[in-house]
mmCIF file of all heavy atoms in Angstrom:
data_model
loop_
_atom_site.group_PDB
_atom_site.id
_atom_site.type_symbol
_atom_site.label_atom_id
_atom_site.label_comp_id
_atom_site.label_asym_id
_atom_site.label_seq_id
_atom_site.Cartn_x
_atom_site.Cartn_y
_atom_site.Cartn_z
ATOM 1 N N LEU A 1 -5.471 12.661 -11.169
ATOM 2 C CA LEU A 1 -4.864 12.435 -9.860
ATOM 3 C C LEU A 1 -5.682 13.012 -8.702
ATOM 4 O O LEU A 1 -5.446 12.654 -7.550
ATOM 5 C CB LEU A 1 -3.446 13.002 -9.825
ATOM 6 C CG LEU A 1 -2.411 12.240 -10.658
ATOM 7 C CD1 LEU A 1 -1.070 12.958 -10.641
ATOM 8 C CD2 LEU A 1 -2.249 10.806 -10.155
ATOM 9 N N ARG A 2 -6.633 13.861 -8.985
ATOM 10 C CA ARG A 2 -7.552 14.320 -7.936
ATOM 11 C C ARG A 2 -8.453 13.186 -7.462
ATOM 12 O O ARG A 2 -8.920 13.189 -6.322
ATOM 13 C CB ARG A 2 -8.420 15.474 -8.446
ATOM 14 C CG ARG A 2 -7.693 16.774 -8.689
ATOM 15 C CD ARG A 2 -8.667 17.847 -9.131
ATOM 16 N NE ARG A 2 -9.720 18.069 -8.143
ATOM 17 C CZ ARG A 2 -9.627 18.918 -7.128
ATOM 18 N NH1 ARG A 2 -8.520 19.629 -6.958
ATOM 19 N NH2 ARG A 2 -10.630 19.069 -6.277
ATOM 20 N N HIS A 3 -8.685 12.214 -8.335
ATOM 21 C CA HIS A 3 -9.662 11.166 -8.066
ATOM 22 C C HIS A 3 -9.026 9.809 -7.783
ATOM 23 O O HIS A 3 -9.743 8.837 -7.509
ATOM 24 C CB HIS A 3 -10.607 11.038 -9.251
ATOM 25 C CG HIS A 3 -11.256 12.331 -9.640
ATOM 26 N ND1 HIS A 3 -12.274 12.902 -8.895
ATOM 27 C CD2 HIS A 3 -11.004 13.183 -10.669
ATOM 28 C CE1 HIS A 3 -12.633 14.047 -9.456
ATOM 29 N NE2 HIS A 3 -11.886 14.244 -10.525
ATOM 30 N N VAL A 4 -7.695 9.734 -7.859
ATOM 31 C CA VAL A 4 -6.999 8.450 -7.722
ATOM 32 C C VAL A 4 -5.864 8.585 -6.709
ATOM 33 O O VAL A 4 -5.167 9.607 -6.682
ATOM 34 C CB VAL A 4 -6.424 7.991 -9.082
ATOM 35 C CG1 VAL A 4 -5.715 6.645 -8.934
ATOM 36 C CG2 VAL A 4 -7.527 7.893 -10.125
ATOM 37 N N TRP A 5 -5.679 7.559 -5.900
ATOM 38 C CA TRP A 5 -4.521 7.476 -5.008
ATOM 39 C C TRP A 5 -3.752 6.219 -5.383
ATOM 40 O O TRP A 5 -4.290 5.105 -5.332
ATOM 41 C CB TRP A 5 -4.963 7.444 -3.555
ATOM 42 C CG TRP A 5 -3.842 7.263 -2.563
ATOM 43 C CD1 TRP A 5 -3.687 6.253 -1.664
ATOM 44 C CD2 TRP A 5 -2.720 8.139 -2.355
ATOM 45 N NE1 TRP A 5 -2.547 6.434 -0.908
ATOM 46 C CE2 TRP A 5 -1.930 7.584 -1.321
ATOM 47 C CE3 TRP A 5 -2.304 9.330 -2.960
ATOM 48 C CZ2 TRP A 5 -0.758 8.187 -0.862
ATOM 49 C CZ3 TRP A 5 -1.130 9.932 -2.514
ATOM 50 C CH2 TRP A 5 -0.379 9.366 -1.476
ATOM 51 N N LEU A 6 -2.519 6.385 -5.816
ATOM 52 C CA LEU A 6 -1.631 5.276 -6.167
ATOM 53 C C LEU A 6 -0.736 5.006 -4.967
ATOM 54 O O LEU A 6 -0.102 5.933 -4.446
ATOM 55 C CB LEU A 6 -0.768 5.647 -7.378
ATOM 56 C CG LEU A 6 -1.475 6.239 -8.594
ATOM 57 C CD1 LEU A 6 -0.459 6.708 -9.627
ATOM 58 C CD2 LEU A 6 -2.414 5.227 -9.201
ATOM 59 N N THR A 7 -0.655 3.761 -4.531
ATOM 60 C CA THR A 7 0.156 3.476 -3.355
ATOM 61 C C THR A 7 0.669 2.040 -3.380
ATOM 62 O O THR A 7 0.396 1.290 -4.310
ATOM 63 C CB THR A 7 -0.628 3.770 -2.054
ATOM 64 O OG1 THR A 7 0.255 3.754 -0.939
ATOM 65 C CG2 THR A 7 -1.754 2.770 -1.846
ATOM 66 N N GLU A 8 1.423 1.675 -2.352
ATOM 67 C CA GLU A 8 2.094 0.377 -2.285
ATOM 68 C C GLU A 8 1.734 -0.357 -0.997
ATOM 69 O O GLU A 8 1.470 0.273 0.029
ATOM 70 C CB GLU A 8 3.620 0.579 -2.311
ATOM 71 C CG GLU A 8 4.129 1.532 -3.377
ATOM 72 C CD GLU A 8 4.241 0.890 -4.746
ATOM 73 O OE1 GLU A 8 4.105 -0.343 -4.835
ATOM 74 O OE2 GLU A 8 4.490 1.618 -5.725
ATOM 75 N N GLY A 9 1.777 -1.688 -1.051
ATOM 76 C CA GLY A 9 1.582 -2.477 0.161
ATOM 77 C C GLY A 9 2.703 -2.257 1.149
ATOM 78 O O GLY A 9 2.498 -2.236 2.356
ATOM 79 N N ARG A 10 3.916 -2.122 0.627
ATOM 80 C CA ARG A 10 5.051 -1.696 1.439
ATOM 81 C C ARG A 10 5.795 -0.629 0.654
ATOM 82 O O ARG A 10 5.878 -0.687 -0.571
ATOM 83 C CB ARG A 10 5.956 -2.866 1.819
ATOM 84 C CG ARG A 10 6.541 -3.651 0.682
ATOM 85 C CD ARG A 10 7.333 -4.856 1.168
ATOM 86 N NE ARG A 10 8.506 -4.467 1.951
ATOM 87 C CZ ARG A 10 9.355 -5.350 2.496
ATOM 88 N NH1 ARG A 10 9.127 -6.648 2.381
ATOM 89 N NH2 ARG A 10 10.401 -4.947 3.175
ATOM 90 N N LEU A 11 6.320 0.352 1.336
ATOM 91 C CA LEU A 11 6.792 1.576 0.687
ATOM 92 C C LEU A 11 8.243 1.530 0.237
ATOM 93 O O LEU A 11 8.720 2.499 -0.352
ATOM 94 C CB LEU A 11 6.596 2.766 1.637
ATOM 95 C CG LEU A 11 5.152 3.007 2.104
ATOM 96 C CD1 LEU A 11 5.101 4.198 3.052
ATOM 97 C CD2 LEU A 11 4.223 3.230 0.920
ATOM 98 N N CYS A 12 8.956 0.447 0.503
ATOM 99 C CA CYS A 12 10.366 0.357 0.135
ATOM 100 C C CYS A 12 10.593 -0.711 -0.928
ATOM 101 O O CYS A 12 9.914 -1.744 -0.949
ATOM 102 C CB CYS A 12 11.218 0.022 1.353
ATOM 103 S SG CYS A 12 11.259 1.333 2.592
ATOM 104 N N SER A 13 11.576 -0.484 -1.790
ATOM 105 C CA SER A 13 12.003 -1.512 -2.734
ATOM 106 C C SER A 13 12.610 -2.682 -1.975
ATOM 107 O O SER A 13 13.123 -2.522 -0.865
ATOM 108 C CB SER A 13 13.071 -0.952 -3.682
ATOM 109 O OG SER A 13 12.572 0.134 -4.415
ATOM 110 N N ILE A 14 12.541 -3.859 -2.585
ATOM 111 C CA ILE A 14 13.218 -5.027 -2.024
ATOM 112 C C ILE A 14 14.090 -5.636 -3.108
ATOM 113 O O ILE A 14 13.889 -5.398 -4.302
ATOM 114 C CB ILE A 14 12.222 -6.063 -1.473
ATOM 115 C CG1 ILE A 14 11.281 -6.569 -2.575
ATOM 116 C CG2 ILE A 14 11.435 -5.472 -0.326
ATOM 117 C CD1 ILE A 14 10.346 -7.676 -2.108
ATOM 118 N N ASP A 15 15.083 -6.429 -2.717
ATOM 119 C CA ASP A 15 16.033 -6.975 -3.683
ATOM 120 C C ASP A 15 15.358 -7.875 -4.708
ATOM 121 O O ASP A 15 15.590 -7.753 -5.907
ATOM 122 C CB ASP A 15 17.141 -7.758 -2.955
ATOM 123 C CG ASP A 15 18.031 -6.846 -2.130
ATOM 124 O OD1 ASP A 15 18.103 -5.653 -2.464
ATOM 125 O OD2 ASP A 15 18.621 -7.323 -1.152
ATOM 126 N N ASN A 16 14.508 -8.787 -4.237
ATOM 127 C CA ASN A 16 13.872 -9.746 -5.130
ATOM 128 C C ASN A 16 12.412 -9.353 -5.314
ATOM 129 O O ASN A 16 11.512 -9.936 -4.713
ATOM 130 C CB ASN A 16 13.984 -11.169 -4.568
ATOM 131 C CG ASN A 16 13.464 -12.212 -5.536
ATOM 132 O OD1 ASN A 16 13.218 -11.923 -6.700
ATOM 133 N ND2 ASN A 16 13.289 -13.430 -5.050
ATOM 134 N N GLU A 17 12.161 -8.373 -6.179
ATOM 135 C CA GLU A 17 10.807 -7.849 -6.318
ATOM 136 C C GLU A 17 9.865 -8.815 -7.018
ATOM 137 O O GLU A 17 8.650 -8.689 -6.916
ATOM 138 C CB GLU A 17 10.824 -6.510 -7.065
ATOM 139 C CG GLU A 17 11.447 -6.561 -8.440
ATOM 140 C CD GLU A 17 11.504 -5.181 -9.078
ATOM 141 O OE1 GLU A 17 10.561 -4.394 -8.873
ATOM 142 O OE2 GLU A 17 12.476 -4.889 -9.781
ATOM 143 N N ILE A 18 10.401 -9.800 -7.749
ATOM 144 C CA ILE A 18 9.546 -10.763 -8.446
ATOM 145 C C ILE A 18 9.187 -11.928 -7.530
ATOM 146 O O ILE A 18 8.209 -12.632 -7.745
ATOM 147 C CB ILE A 18 10.233 -11.264 -9.731
ATOM 148 C CG1 ILE A 18 10.449 -10.079 -10.693
ATOM 149 C CG2 ILE A 18 9.421 -12.337 -10.426
ATOM 150 C CD1 ILE A 18 11.178 -10.442 -11.961
ATOM 151 N N GLY A 19 9.930 -12.137 -6.474
ATOM 152 C CA GLY A 19 9.687 -13.256 -5.567
ATOM 153 C C GLY A 19 8.513 -13.008 -4.639
ATOM 154 O O GLY A 19 7.767 -12.043 -4.779
ATOM 155 N N SER A 20 8.378 -13.892 -3.665
ATOM 156 C CA SER A 20 7.226 -13.834 -2.763
ATOM 157 C C SER A 20 7.554 -13.186 -1.426
ATOM 158 O O SER A 20 6.786 -13.309 -0.470
ATOM 159 C CB SER A 20 6.689 -15.256 -2.515
ATOM 160 O OG SER A 20 7.698 -16.070 -1.937
ATOM 161 N N GLN A 21 8.693 -12.517 -1.345
ATOM 162 C CA GLN A 21 9.101 -11.884 -0.087
ATOM 163 C C GLN A 21 8.051 -10.864 0.361
ATOM 164 O O GLN A 21 7.682 -9.965 -0.381
ATOM 165 C CB GLN A 21 10.447 -11.194 -0.291
ATOM 166 C CG GLN A 21 10.943 -10.386 0.891
ATOM 167 C CD GLN A 21 11.323 -11.258 2.070
ATOM 168 O OE1 GLN A 21 10.482 -11.592 2.893
ATOM 169 N NE2 GLN A 21 12.582 -11.627 2.158
ATOM 170 N N ARG A 22 7.580 -11.023 1.594
ATOM 171 C CA ARG A 22 6.560 -10.131 2.124
ATOM 172 C C ARG A 22 6.877 -9.788 3.574
ATOM 173 O O ARG A 22 7.414 -10.601 4.307
ATOM 174 C CB ARG A 22 5.173 -10.772 2.040
ATOM 175 C CG ARG A 22 4.786 -11.138 0.623
ATOM 176 C CD ARG A 22 3.494 -11.928 0.558
ATOM 177 N NE ARG A 22 3.337 -12.486 -0.782
ATOM 178 C CZ ARG A 22 2.294 -13.174 -1.188
ATOM 179 N NH1 ARG A 22 1.295 -13.404 -0.357
ATOM 180 N NH2 ARG A 22 2.228 -13.649 -2.411
ATOM 181 N N ASP A 23 6.540 -8.583 3.947
ATOM 182 C CA ASP A 23 6.634 -8.167 5.336
ATOM 183 C C ASP A 23 5.440 -7.259 5.576
ATOM 184 O O ASP A 23 5.289 -6.245 4.893
ATOM 185 C CB ASP A 23 7.942 -7.438 5.605
ATOM 186 C CG ASP A 23 8.200 -7.269 7.092
ATOM 187 O OD1 ASP A 23 7.295 -6.769 7.779
ATOM 188 O OD2 ASP A 23 9.298 -7.636 7.557
ATOM 189 N N HIS A 24 4.584 -7.624 6.512
ATOM 190 C CA HIS A 24 3.305 -6.940 6.663
ATOM 191 C C HIS A 24 3.352 -5.738 7.603
ATOM 192 O O HIS A 24 2.330 -5.061 7.797
ATOM 193 C CB HIS A 24 2.242 -7.933 7.129
ATOM 194 C CG HIS A 24 1.937 -8.992 6.122
ATOM 195 N ND1 HIS A 24 2.647 -10.176 6.040
ATOM 196 C CD2 HIS A 24 1.022 -9.044 5.129
ATOM 197 C CE1 HIS A 24 2.167 -10.909 5.056
ATOM 198 N NE2 HIS A 24 1.191 -10.253 4.482
ATOM 199 N N ARG A 25 4.516 -5.456 8.171
ATOM 200 C CA ARG A 25 4.594 -4.326 9.106
ATOM 201 C C ARG A 25 4.221 -3.008 8.434
ATOM 202 O O ARG A 25 3.518 -2.172 9.008
ATOM 203 C CB ARG A 25 5.997 -4.230 9.697
ATOM 204 C CG ARG A 25 6.398 -5.384 10.594
ATOM 205 C CD ARG A 25 7.828 -5.212 11.075
ATOM 206 N NE ARG A 25 8.281 -6.323 11.901
ATOM 207 C CZ ARG A 25 8.793 -7.443 11.427
ATOM 208 N NH1 ARG A 25 8.920 -7.600 10.125
ATOM 209 N NH2 ARG A 25 9.187 -8.403 12.248
ATOM 210 N N CYS A 26 4.721 -2.820 7.220
ATOM 211 C CA CYS A 26 4.490 -1.554 6.518
ATOM 212 C C CYS A 26 3.008 -1.375 6.212
ATOM 213 O O CYS A 26 2.446 -0.296 6.413
ATOM 214 C CB CYS A 26 5.315 -1.507 5.234
ATOM 215 S SG CYS A 26 5.385 0.130 4.467
ATOM 216 N N ALA A 27 2.373 -2.436 5.721
ATOM 217 C CA ALA A 27 0.946 -2.350 5.406
ATOM 218 C C ALA A 27 0.128 -2.061 6.661
ATOM 219 O O ALA A 27 -0.812 -1.257 6.635
ATOM 220 C CB ALA A 27 0.470 -3.643 4.739
ATOM 221 N N GLN A 28 0.500 -2.700 7.748
ATOM 222 C CA GLN A 28 -0.240 -2.486 8.989
ATOM 223 C C GLN A 28 -0.090 -1.049 9.488
ATOM 224 O O GLN A 28 -1.034 -0.476 10.032
ATOM 225 C CB GLN A 28 0.245 -3.458 10.070
ATOM 226 C CG GLN A 28 -0.135 -4.906 9.820
ATOM 227 C CD GLN A 28 -1.623 -5.167 9.967
ATOM 228 O OE1 GLN A 28 -2.346 -4.366 10.547
ATOM 229 N NE2 GLN A 28 -2.085 -6.282 9.436
ATOM 230 N N ARG A 29 1.085 -0.481 9.278
ATOM 231 C CA ARG A 29 1.321 0.876 9.795
ATOM 232 C C ARG A 29 0.842 1.964 8.843
ATOM 233 O O ARG A 29 0.207 2.933 9.276
ATOM 234 C CB ARG A 29 2.811 1.065 10.075
ATOM 235 C CG ARG A 29 3.149 2.469 10.555
ATOM 236 C CD ARG A 29 4.569 2.585 11.026
ATOM 237 N NE ARG A 29 4.863 3.929 11.502
ATOM 238 C CZ ARG A 29 6.025 4.311 12.004
ATOM 239 N NH1 ARG A 29 7.013 3.421 12.116
ATOM 240 N NH2 ARG A 29 6.223 5.551 12.418
ATOM 241 N N TYR A 30 1.147 1.818 7.541
ATOM 242 C CA TYR A 30 0.874 2.905 6.596
ATOM 243 C C TYR A 30 -0.332 2.647 5.694
ATOM 244 O O TYR A 30 -1.170 3.529 5.524
ATOM 245 C CB TYR A 30 2.112 3.173 5.740
ATOM 246 C CG TYR A 30 3.281 3.703 6.518
ATOM 247 C CD1 TYR A 30 4.376 2.894 6.814
ATOM 248 C CD2 TYR A 30 3.295 5.015 6.983
ATOM 249 C CE1 TYR A 30 5.451 3.370 7.548
ATOM 250 C CE2 TYR A 30 4.364 5.511 7.722
ATOM 251 C CZ TYR A 30 5.443 4.680 7.997
ATOM 252 O OH TYR A 30 6.492 5.165 8.729
ATOM 253 N N LEU A 31 -0.411 1.451 5.101
ATOM 254 C CA LEU A 31 -1.501 1.211 4.159
ATOM 255 C C LEU A 31 -2.850 1.237 4.872
ATOM 256 O O LEU A 31 -3.817 1.812 4.364
ATOM 257 C CB LEU A 31 -1.296 -0.124 3.440
ATOM 258 C CG LEU A 31 -2.358 -0.470 2.387
ATOM 259 C CD1 LEU A 31 -2.421 0.596 1.298
ATOM 260 C CD2 LEU A 31 -2.076 -1.846 1.776
ATOM 261 N N ARG A 32 -2.926 0.613 6.039
ATOM 262 C CA ARG A 32 -4.187 0.627 6.784
ATOM 263 C C ARG A 32 -4.658 2.061 7.019
ATOM 264 O O ARG A 32 -5.832 2.397 6.788
ATOM 265 C CB ARG A 32 -4.033 -0.093 8.112
ATOM 266 C CG ARG A 32 -5.301 -0.062 8.968
ATOM 267 C CD ARG A 32 -5.067 -0.669 10.345
ATOM 268 N NE ARG A 32 -4.754 -2.076 10.264
ATOM 269 C CZ ARG A 32 -5.659 -3.030 10.117
ATOM 270 N NH1 ARG A 32 -6.942 -2.697 10.004
ATOM 271 N NH2 ARG A 32 -5.296 -4.294 10.070
ATOM 272 N N ALA A 33 -3.760 2.914 7.475
ATOM 273 C CA ALA A 33 -4.125 4.304 7.769
ATOM 274 C C ALA A 33 -4.546 5.043 6.504
ATOM 275 O O ALA A 33 -5.484 5.848 6.526
ATOM 276 C CB ALA A 33 -2.958 5.021 8.439
ATOM 277 N N GLN A 34 -3.862 4.765 5.380
ATOM 278 C CA GLN A 34 -4.250 5.405 4.128
ATOM 279 C C GLN A 34 -5.675 5.027 3.736
ATOM 280 O O GLN A 34 -6.489 5.883 3.368
ATOM 281 C CB GLN A 34 -3.293 4.991 3.011
ATOM 282 C CG GLN A 34 -1.871 5.502 3.162
ATOM 283 C CD GLN A 34 -0.949 4.863 2.150
ATOM 284 O OE1 GLN A 34 -1.152 4.947 0.940
ATOM 285 N NE2 GLN A 34 0.076 4.184 2.644
ATOM 286 N N LEU A 35 -5.976 3.742 3.795
ATOM 287 C CA LEU A 35 -7.299 3.277 3.381
ATOM 288 C C LEU A 35 -8.391 3.785 4.314
ATOM 289 O O LEU A 35 -9.511 4.066 3.879
ATOM 290 C CB LEU A 35 -7.319 1.747 3.306
ATOM 291 C CG LEU A 35 -6.329 1.121 2.316
ATOM 292 C CD1 LEU A 35 -6.517 -0.390 2.263
ATOM 293 C CD2 LEU A 35 -6.462 1.723 0.926
ATOM 294 N N GLU A 36 -8.072 3.916 5.581
ATOM 295 C CA GLU A 36 -9.051 4.444 6.530
ATOM 296 C C GLU A 36 -9.383 5.903 6.231
ATOM 297 O O GLU A 36 -10.483 6.370 6.550
ATOM 298 C CB GLU A 36 -8.539 4.284 7.956
ATOM 299 C CG GLU A 36 -8.550 2.839 8.439
ATOM 300 C CD GLU A 36 -7.922 2.656 9.806
ATOM 301 O OE1 GLU A 36 -7.280 3.626 10.307
ATOM 302 O OE2 GLU A 36 -8.052 1.557 10.389
ATOM 303 N N MET A 37 -8.445 6.626 5.635
ATOM 304 C CA MET A 37 -8.697 8.015 5.256
ATOM 305 C C MET A 37 -9.565 8.124 4.006
ATOM 306 O O MET A 37 -10.080 9.204 3.705
ATOM 307 C CB MET A 37 -7.374 8.733 4.996
ATOM 308 C CG MET A 37 -6.517 8.938 6.214
ATOM 309 S SD MET A 37 -4.952 9.761 5.749
ATOM 310 C CE MET A 37 -3.995 9.486 7.231
ATOM 311 N N LEU A 38 -9.712 7.010 3.274
ATOM 312 C CA LEU A 38 -10.402 7.038 1.980
ATOM 313 C C LEU A 38 -11.515 5.989 1.947
ATOM 314 O O LEU A 38 -11.552 5.121 1.066
ATOM 315 C CB LEU A 38 -9.390 6.777 0.857
ATOM 316 C CG LEU A 38 -8.218 7.768 0.793
ATOM 317 C CD1 LEU A 38 -7.100 7.216 -0.078
ATOM 318 C CD2 LEU A 38 -8.700 9.112 0.263
ATOM 319 N N PRO A 39 -12.455 6.053 2.869
ATOM 320 C CA PRO A 39 -13.471 5.000 2.982
ATOM 321 C C PRO A 39 -14.450 4.952 1.821
ATOM 322 O O PRO A 39 -15.133 3.943 1.627
ATOM 323 C CB PRO A 39 -14.175 5.343 4.300
ATOM 324 C CG PRO A 39 -14.022 6.830 4.424
ATOM 325 C CD PRO A 39 -12.658 7.123 3.863
ATOM 326 N N ASN A 40 -14.550 6.029 1.047
ATOM 327 C CA ASN A 40 -15.504 6.059 -0.066
ATOM 328 C C ASN A 40 -14.909 5.557 -1.374
ATOM 329 O O ASN A 40 -15.624 5.429 -2.368
ATOM 330 C CB ASN A 40 -16.021 7.488 -0.268
ATOM 331 C CG ASN A 40 -16.765 8.007 0.949
ATOM 332 O OD1 ASN A 40 -17.459 7.255 1.632
ATOM 333 N ND2 ASN A 40 -16.627 9.294 1.229
ATOM 334 N N ALA A 41 -13.616 5.281 -1.382
ATOM 335 C CA ALA A 41 -12.944 4.868 -2.614
ATOM 336 C C ALA A 41 -13.013 3.363 -2.808
ATOM 337 O O ALA A 41 -13.035 2.603 -1.835
ATOM 338 C CB ALA A 41 -11.482 5.328 -2.595
ATOM 339 N N THR A 42 -13.023 2.939 -4.069
ATOM 340 C CA THR A 42 -12.888 1.526 -4.395
ATOM 341 C C THR A 42 -11.413 1.169 -4.353
ATOM 342 O O THR A 42 -10.593 1.829 -4.997
ATOM 343 C CB THR A 42 -13.450 1.224 -5.791
ATOM 344 O OG1 THR A 42 -14.856 1.508 -5.806
ATOM 345 C CG2 THR A 42 -13.241 -0.243 -6.157
ATOM 346 N N VAL A 43 -11.055 0.136 -3.601
ATOM 347 C CA VAL A 43 -9.675 -0.300 -3.469
ATOM 348 C C VAL A 43 -9.438 -1.466 -4.421
ATOM 349 O O VAL A 43 -10.144 -2.476 -4.358
ATOM 350 C CB VAL A 43 -9.368 -0.736 -2.018
ATOM 351 C CG1 VAL A 43 -7.931 -1.253 -1.907
ATOM 352 C CG2 VAL A 43 -9.606 0.420 -1.051
ATOM 353 N N VAL A 44 -8.454 -1.330 -5.307
ATOM 354 C CA VAL A 44 -8.087 -2.403 -6.220
ATOM 355 C C VAL A 44 -6.665 -2.840 -5.889
ATOM 356 O O VAL A 44 -5.731 -2.025 -5.915
ATOM 357 C CB VAL A 44 -8.167 -1.975 -7.700
ATOM 358 C CG1 VAL A 44 -7.848 -3.162 -8.613
ATOM 359 C CG2 VAL A 44 -9.541 -1.423 -8.026
ATOM 360 N N ALA A 45 -6.500 -4.116 -5.548
ATOM 361 C CA ALA A 45 -5.185 -4.686 -5.245
ATOM 362 C C ALA A 45 -4.669 -5.399 -6.487
ATOM 363 O O ALA A 45 -5.310 -6.327 -6.985
ATOM 364 C CB ALA A 45 -5.290 -5.657 -4.076
ATOM 365 N N PHE A 46 -3.530 -4.965 -6.988
ATOM 366 C CA PHE A 46 -2.969 -5.493 -8.222
ATOM 367 C C PHE A 46 -1.845 -6.484 -7.915
ATOM 368 O O PHE A 46 -0.790 -6.094 -7.426
ATOM 369 C CB PHE A 46 -2.438 -4.357 -9.091
ATOM 370 C CG PHE A 46 -3.516 -3.458 -9.635
ATOM 371 C CD1 PHE A 46 -3.918 -2.327 -8.944
ATOM 372 C CD2 PHE A 46 -4.139 -3.753 -10.839
ATOM 373 C CE1 PHE A 46 -4.908 -1.493 -9.433
ATOM 374 C CE2 PHE A 46 -5.133 -2.934 -11.340
ATOM 375 C CZ PHE A 46 -5.532 -1.801 -10.638
#
């Protein structure tokens, strides 16, 4: 865990987690800032 950061595109659960429901506000506010803090890391989107 010193070498890995586990995170989410959006930080809250949603009712239909298997569906295609998306809201980009969370990623724009939190995920962007997280990735900017870790410019040397390889980012893998699952």
Side-chain angles (χ1 to χ4, degrees):
L1 289 175
R2 291 182 58 88
H3 306 286
V4 181
W5 176 240
L6 311 173
T7 192
E8 313 279 350
R10 58 185 296 180
L11 302 179
C12 293
S13 300
I14 60 176
D15 292 336
N16 186 12
E17 58 184 324
I18 297 177
S20 59
Q21 175 69 273
R22 301 173 192 183
D23 193 308
H24 294 87
R25 294 178 182 85
C26 192
Q28 290 291 343
R29 177 171 181 178
Y30 294 105
L31 182 59
R32 178 186 295 279
Q34 293 171 58
L35 300 184
E36 288 175 349
M37 292 178 194
L38 302 164
N40 298 324
T42 297
V43 177
V44 183
F46 292 91

